[in-house]
Amino acid sequence: MKRSVLLATALVVLSAPSAFAQNKGRGIEVGVGLGRVNAQVGEIDATAELDMSGITDTIDYATDQLNTGNQTSVLNLTSGALGELSGTAASIGNSFSLDAAARVTSDLDQMNLGHAVSVANASVSAVGTAAVTAASIGNSASVTATDAVVDADIAQANLGSMTATVNGSVGNVSEATLTAASIGNSLSVEIPGSSNMTGNQFNSGTMVAELNGSLGGFSEIAATAASIGNSASLTSLNTGLTGNIAANLNQWNAAGQLSVLNAAISHGGDAAATAAAIGNSVSINVN
């Protein structure tokens, strides 16, 4: 039987990466776990040549992002027989992503004053693997460098409320993931030795995440509603660059978080249902 793949995305991003750098397309990736949330939209590729003497050039980025508008995204999805299905509704105030292949100094300031609402309504049946996501994020920043030293100074301030809702009916699937995530500020940094990172996150917006699901006839399923004021993830990479990483991170959360999960689960294999409300979250991974 021929397998089909369906990707449905409703995406609202008001402030894209600064014109100082090259924008190389868009994708959306949201992963939610207790202690770690990553959100990424867009991509910046920073590359500098090395001269014959082995001196590495340094690229400097100074980016300011300010959003004062509201974002709303709605996804209405009904599936038939498919091999894989992915549906996403995402509303994001400011998004920045830097992928560095040469030494980089980055100074980023993000301010979000707008409110965001994301709603995903999905009826999924006869699908091999399915993922349905609703994500509302005030500020999102990602910095990645595998073989380059990075000096990053990032400040995020969110004053807007974020609301994410998933209404899902799932049956006759092999694997399914349903996620509703509201995040004030999200920061993900992956850097090698000898790099420096300073991060400041402030949230005063209310976060609300709600998931309503009717789930049955599955091998494995996970349903998550997560509301987080500030989320930061720092990973030190084990590459050829040696030296210590200097990291300084401050988080302030002055608002409430609410997560609601209503799930009716019937016959199936393994199931996990999680409702999490977190003020500040930090994940540090040393490789």
Side-chain angles (χ1 to χ4, degrees):
M1 179 180 68
K2 183 178 181 181
R3 295 170 64 86
S4 301
V5 178
L6 174 63
L7 172 63
T9 302
L11 173 63
V12 178
V13 181
L14 190 60
S15 296
S18 169
F20 295 158
Q22 180 182 5
N23 192 337
K24 293 183 62 181
R26 283 182 178 169
I28 175 71
E29 176 182 333
V30 177
V32 178
L34 294 181
R36 178 166 185 172
V37 172
N38 296 324
Q40 178 177 327
V41 175
E43 180 178 312
I44 293 179
D45 184 15
T47 304
E49 296 293 337
L50 305 182
D51 61 25
M52 296 304 295
S53 63
I55 299 176
T56 304
D57 295 334
T58 299
I59 300 176
D60 297 329
Y61 286 107
T63 305
D64 295 327
Q65 294 180 314
L66 171 64
N67 173 44
T68 60
N70 299 328
Q71 290 77 50
T72 301
S73 60
V74 178
L75 173 70
N76 297 311
L77 177 63
T78 301
S79 79
L82 294 169
E84 298 179 4
L85 180 146
S86 177
T88 303
S91 298
I92 303 172
N94 298 303
S95 174
F96 176 88
S97 178
L98 174 64
D99 189 358
R103 186 181 183 95
V104 171
T105 298
S106 179
D107 188 350
L108 171 65
D109 293 318
Q110 293 179 316
M111 169 73 76
N112 179 58
L113 304 176
H115 306 295
V117 175
S118 299
V119 179
N121 302 308
S123 178
V124 179
S125 179
V127 175
T129 302
V132 177
T133 303
S136 294
I137 304 169
N139 297 302
S140 172
S142 173
V143 176
T144 302
T146 303
D147 298 310
V149 175
V150 174
D151 188 352
D153 189 345
I154 300 171
Q156 297 175 311
N158 175 61
L159 281 68
S161 61
M162 304 288 124
T163 302
T165 304
V166 172
N167 300 308
S169 175
V170 178
N172 190 23
V173 299
S174 179
E175 297 181 8
T177 302
L178 305 177
T179 304
S182 292
I183 307 167
N185 298 300
S186 175
L187 173 62
S188 176
V189 178
E190 297 183 2
I191 49 180
S194 300
S195 296
N196 299 292
M197 189 279 289
T198 299
N200 291 286
Q201 295 179 312
F202 173 78
N203 175 61
S204 63
T206 300
M207 303 292 113
V208 178
E210 182 177 356
L211 191 152
N212 303 301
S214 176
L215 317 174
F218 55 84
S219 296
E220 184 176 349
I221 199 164
T224 304
S227 58
I228 303 173
N230 297 302
S231 173
S233 173
L234 173 62
T235 301
S236 65
L237 302 176
N238 185 12
T239 65
L241 297 176
T242 61
N244 295 327
I245 292 178
N248 184 8
L249 176 65
N250 300 294
Q251 294 177 317
W252 298 271
N253 179 56
Q257 288 76 47
L258 173 64
S259 294
V260 178
L261 190 149
N262 301 305
I265 303 176
S266 60
H267 59 287
D270 298 329
T274 304
I278 304 171
N280 296 309
S281 173
V282 177
S283 175
I284 299 176
N285 303 286
V286 179
N287 297 319

mmCIF file of all heavy atoms in Angstrom, residues 117-139:
data_model
loop_
_atom_site.group_PDB
_atom_site.id
_atom_site.type_symbol
_atom_site.label_atom_id
_atom_site.label_comp_id
_atom_site.label_asym_id
_atom_site.label_seq_id
_atom_site.Cartn_x
_atom_site.Cartn_y
_atom_site.Cartn_z
ATOM 1 N N VAL A 117 -2.432 33.740 20.246
ATOM 2 C CA VAL A 117 -3.406 32.661 20.412
ATOM 3 C C VAL A 117 -3.182 31.642 19.296
ATOM 4 O O VAL A 117 -3.111 31.999 18.119
ATOM 5 C CB VAL A 117 -4.858 33.173 20.355
ATOM 6 C CG1 VAL A 117 -5.839 32.010 20.419
ATOM 7 C CG2 VAL A 117 -5.120 34.160 21.487
ATOM 8 N N SER A 118 -3.061 30.370 19.673
ATOM 9 C CA SER A 118 -2.916 29.278 18.709
ATOM 10 C C SER A 118 -3.914 28.186 19.039
ATOM 11 O O SER A 118 -4.014 27.768 20.197
ATOM 12 C CB SER A 118 -1.492 28.705 18.730
ATOM 13 O OG SER A 118 -0.542 29.681 18.384
ATOM 14 N N VAL A 119 -4.647 27.725 18.007
ATOM 15 C CA VAL A 119 -5.667 26.698 18.189
ATOM 16 C C VAL A 119 -5.483 25.634 17.109
ATOM 17 O O VAL A 119 -5.403 25.960 15.919
ATOM 18 C CB VAL A 119 -7.090 27.271 18.112
ATOM 19 C CG1 VAL A 119 -8.120 26.160 18.293
ATOM 20 C CG2 VAL A 119 -7.286 28.367 19.157
ATOM 21 N N ALA A 120 -5.408 24.378 17.522
ATOM 22 C CA ALA A 120 -5.332 23.252 16.584
ATOM 23 C C ALA A 120 -6.495 22.316 16.852
ATOM 24 O O ALA A 120 -6.610 21.747 17.945
ATOM 25 C CB ALA A 120 -4.004 22.517 16.728
ATOM 26 N N ASN A 121 -7.376 22.183 15.870
ATOM 27 C CA ASN A 121 -8.498 21.252 15.929
ATOM 28 C C ASN A 121 -8.211 20.111 14.963
ATOM 29 O O ASN A 121 -8.077 20.325 13.758
ATOM 30 C CB ASN A 121 -9.805 21.958 15.539
ATOM 31 C CG ASN A 121 -10.097 23.152 16.429
ATOM 32 O OD1 ASN A 121 -10.098 23.046 17.654
ATOM 33 N ND2 ASN A 121 -10.349 24.308 15.823
ATOM 34 N N ALA A 122 -8.089 18.898 15.480
ATOM 35 C CA ALA A 122 -7.658 17.785 14.634
ATOM 36 C C ALA A 122 -8.492 16.542 14.884
ATOM 37 O O ALA A 122 -8.768 16.178 16.031
ATOM 38 C CB ALA A 122 -6.189 17.477 14.878
ATOM 39 N N SER A 123 -8.883 15.899 13.775
ATOM 40 C CA SER A 123 -9.531 14.598 13.815
ATOM 41 C C SER A 123 -8.655 13.646 13.003
ATOM 42 O O SER A 123 -8.566 13.768 11.777
ATOM 43 C CB SER A 123 -10.940 14.665 13.227
ATOM 44 O OG SER A 123 -11.551 13.383 13.216
ATOM 45 N N VAL A 124 -7.986 12.731 13.699
ATOM 46 C CA VAL A 124 -6.964 11.887 13.086
ATOM 47 C C VAL A 124 -7.381 10.431 13.184
ATOM 48 O O VAL A 124 -7.685 9.933 14.272
ATOM 49 C CB VAL A 124 -5.601 12.100 13.771
ATOM 50 C CG1 VAL A 124 -4.544 11.210 13.141
ATOM 51 C CG2 VAL A 124 -5.182 13.561 13.700
ATOM 52 N N SER A 125 -7.372 9.739 12.027
ATOM 53 C CA SER A 125 -7.746 8.335 12.004
ATOM 54 C C SER A 125 -7.003 7.634 10.881
ATOM 55 O O SER A 125 -6.726 8.223 9.829
ATOM 56 C CB SER A 125 -9.260 8.192 11.798
ATOM 57 O OG SER A 125 -9.636 6.827 11.760
ATOM 58 N N ALA A 126 -6.653 6.373 11.114
ATOM 59 C CA ALA A 126 -5.983 5.529 10.121
ATOM 60 C C ALA A 126 -4.674 6.147 9.651
ATOM 61 O O ALA A 126 -4.408 6.281 8.463
ATOM 62 C CB ALA A 126 -6.910 5.277 8.927
ATOM 63 N N VAL A 127 -3.829 6.530 10.623
ATOM 64 C CA VAL A 127 -2.541 7.159 10.345
ATOM 65 C C VAL A 127 -1.452 6.375 11.064
ATOM 66 O O VAL A 127 -1.641 5.924 12.200
ATOM 67 C CB VAL A 127 -2.524 8.632 10.811
ATOM 68 C CG1 VAL A 127 -1.137 9.238 10.639
ATOM 69 C CG2 VAL A 127 -3.549 9.441 10.027
ATOM 70 N N GLY A 128 -0.292 6.238 10.409
ATOM 71 C CA GLY A 128 0.820 5.546 11.051
ATOM 72 C C GLY A 128 1.393 6.348 12.206
ATOM 73 O O GLY A 128 1.343 5.948 13.358
ATOM 74 N N THR A 129 1.941 7.529 11.895
ATOM 75 C CA THR A 129 2.527 8.412 12.899
ATOM 76 C C THR A 129 1.921 9.800 12.749
ATOM 77 O O THR A 129 1.925 10.376 11.659
ATOM 78 C CB THR A 129 4.052 8.507 12.745
ATOM 79 O OG1 THR A 129 4.616 7.193 12.849
ATOM 80 C CG2 THR A 129 4.657 9.399 13.807
ATOM 81 N N ALA A 130 1.416 10.358 13.863
ATOM 82 C CA ALA A 130 0.746 11.658 13.808
ATOM 83 C C ALA A 130 1.274 12.565 14.909
ATOM 84 O O ALA A 130 1.551 12.113 16.028
ATOM 85 C CB ALA A 130 -0.766 11.503 13.952
ATOM 86 N N ALA A 131 1.421 13.864 14.594
ATOM 87 C CA ALA A 131 1.832 14.870 15.570
ATOM 88 C C ALA A 131 0.992 16.115 15.347
ATOM 89 O O ALA A 131 0.949 16.658 14.236
ATOM 90 C CB ALA A 131 3.313 15.189 15.431
ATOM 91 N N VAL A 132 0.332 16.582 16.391
ATOM 92 C CA VAL A 132 -0.498 17.781 16.331
ATOM 93 C C VAL A 132 -0.016 18.735 17.421
ATOM 94 O O VAL A 132 0.070 18.354 18.592
ATOM 95 C CB VAL A 132 -1.990 17.462 16.515
ATOM 96 C CG1 VAL A 132 -2.820 18.746 16.513
ATOM 97 C CG2 VAL A 132 -2.474 16.510 15.427
ATOM 98 N N THR A 133 0.288 19.984 17.035
ATOM 99 C CA THR A 133 0.888 20.942 17.965
ATOM 100 C C THR A 133 0.239 22.303 17.842
ATOM 101 O O THR A 133 -0.005 22.782 16.735
ATOM 102 C CB THR A 133 2.398 21.094 17.699
ATOM 103 O OG1 THR A 133 3.033 19.822 17.795
ATOM 104 C CG2 THR A 133 3.030 22.054 18.686
ATOM 105 N N ALA A 134 -0.030 22.932 18.983
ATOM 106 C CA ALA A 134 -0.401 24.339 19.049
ATOM 107 C C ALA A 134 0.607 25.022 19.964
ATOM 108 O O ALA A 134 0.788 24.603 21.114
ATOM 109 C CB ALA A 134 -1.818 24.522 19.573
ATOM 110 N N ALA A 135 1.280 26.058 19.460
ATOM 111 C CA ALA A 135 2.339 26.717 20.226
ATOM 112 C C ALA A 135 2.205 28.225 20.116
ATOM 113 O O ALA A 135 2.119 28.767 19.009
ATOM 114 C CB ALA A 135 3.717 26.268 19.740
ATOM 115 N N SER A 136 2.193 28.891 21.268
ATOM 116 C CA SER A 136 2.211 30.351 21.330
ATOM 117 C C SER A 136 3.441 30.769 22.119
ATOM 118 O O SER A 136 3.629 30.341 23.266
ATOM 119 C CB SER A 136 0.940 30.886 21.992
ATOM 120 O OG SER A 136 -0.198 30.623 21.202
ATOM 121 N N ILE A 137 4.286 31.608 21.497
ATOM 122 C CA ILE A 137 5.579 31.961 22.092
ATOM 123 C C ILE A 137 5.790 33.468 21.941
ATOM 124 O O ILE A 137 5.652 34.015 20.849
ATOM 125 C CB ILE A 137 6.727 31.202 21.401
ATOM 126 C CG1 ILE A 137 6.481 29.691 21.462
ATOM 127 C CG2 ILE A 137 8.063 31.545 22.042
ATOM 128 C CD1 ILE A 137 7.420 28.879 20.595
ATOM 129 N N GLY A 138 6.168 34.107 23.040
ATOM 130 C CA GLY A 138 6.457 35.536 22.973
ATOM 131 C C GLY A 138 7.758 35.815 22.258
ATOM 132 O O GLY A 138 7.785 36.508 21.236
ATOM 133 N N ASN A 139 8.860 35.273 22.753
ATOM 134 C CA ASN A 139 10.183 35.447 22.152
ATOM 135 C C ASN A 139 10.879 34.095 22.039
ATOM 136 O O ASN A 139 10.892 33.314 22.991
ATOM 137 C CB ASN A 139 11.057 36.377 23.002
ATOM 138 C CG ASN A 139 10.495 37.779 23.101
ATOM 139 O OD1 ASN A 139 10.282 38.458 22.104
ATOM 140 N ND2 ASN A 139 10.247 38.229 24.333
#
